[in-house]
């Protein structure tokens, strides 16, 4: 019989966390779960590539699974030796602000804070995913319009 406090401690682990971790590992190990994550990733990539073809402020879209990122560039900036426009954190910040004002929290990172990260939950619903993408697309289109004018 354990004494009070003997079953828990900083270096002994946390039974609730261990059980939660076991459930998560059992869930994400299922092939059908991975198939859903892949499908959602492909949905995001398809929508972002379509958006990229409509605007001048997206330089690159990259990532794997549901860890994806959109790099914003300054299309009025000077191209580098490879012919790429400079990454632009200011444009990313404008997109981020519009997203927040419309109920979507997005995180910036990458070079010059110019990469908007897509880090959604692996079990996100299609409804929530599409709602977030709609907000993001609307913000990007608005910022792109402002940059052209």
């Amino acid at each position: 019989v354990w004494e009070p406090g003997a079953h828990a401690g900083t270096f002994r682990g946390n039974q609730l966390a261990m059980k939660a971790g076991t459930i998560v590992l059992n869930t994400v190990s299922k092939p059908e779960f991975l198939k859903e994550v892949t499908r959602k990733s492909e949905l995001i990539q398809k929508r972002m590539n379509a958006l990229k073809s409509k605007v001048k402020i997206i330089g690159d879209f990259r990532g794997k699974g549901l860890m994806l990122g959109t790099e914003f560039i300054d299309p009025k900036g000077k191209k580098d030796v490879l012919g790429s426009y400079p990454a632009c954190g200011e444009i990313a910040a404008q997109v981020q602000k519009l997203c927040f004002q419309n109920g979507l929290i997005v995180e910036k990172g990458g070079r010059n804070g110019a990469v908007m990260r897509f880090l959604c939950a692996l079990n996100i619903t299609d409804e929530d995913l599409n709602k977030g993408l709609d907000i993001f697309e609307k913000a990007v289109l608005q910022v792109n319009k402002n940059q052209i004018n």
Side-chain angles (χ1 to χ4, degrees):
V1 176
W2 288 353
E3 297 293 321
H7 65 286
T10 304
F11 301 107
R12 288 187 206 95
N14 174 320
Q15 288 76 20
L16 181 59
M18 297 293 184
K19 182 63 176 178
T22 300
I23 292 169
V24 169
L25 288 174
N26 288 338
T27 300
V28 300
S29 298
K30 295 178 181 173
E32 59 271 16
F33 187 84
L34 179 57
K35 186 176 179 182
E36 272 298 292
V37 170
T38 301
R39 183 187 63 77
K40 291 170 187 174
S41 175
E42 289 168 355
L43 170 70
I44 295 171
Q45 291 178 50
K46 181 179 177 182
R47 288 191 61 176
M48 289 302 101
N49 285 323
L51 179 61
K52 181 181 174 189
S53 71
K54 296 178 193 174
V55 299
K56 296 182 183 286
I57 61 173
I58 295 178
D60 190 25
F61 182 75
R62 57 186 176 261
K64 187 170 181 139
L66 290 178
M67 292 182 67
L68 303 163
T70 301
E71 183 177 42
F72 290 95
I73 58 166
D74 179 1
K76 297 176 185 174
K78 182 181 176 187
K79 289 184 178 183
D80 63 17
V81 295
L82 298 175
S84 300
Y85 287 106
C88 188
E90 293 81 18
I91 288 175
Q94 292 171 33
V95 172
Q96 183 182 41
K97 182 178 179 180
L98 284 173
C99 286
F100 183 76
Q101 291 170 347
N102 288 287
L104 178 65
I105 298 172
V106 288
E107 181 181 300
K108 297 184 308 152
R111 184 172 54 128
N112 300 326
V115 178
M116 199 69 65
R117 298 173 176 173
F118 292 87
L119 301 169
C120 53
L122 297 178
N123 63 346
I124 189 170
T125 64
D126 285 356
E127 180 183 358
D128 286 341
L129 182 58
N130 282 308
K131 183 177 179 181
L133 290 170
D134 289 345
I135 292 168
F136 184 77
E137 287 177 16
K138 183 179 175 185
V140 170
L141 291 169
Q142 181 61 49
V143 172
N144 186 73
K145 182 179 173 185
N146 295 344
Q147 288 297 314
I148 294 171
N149 297 333

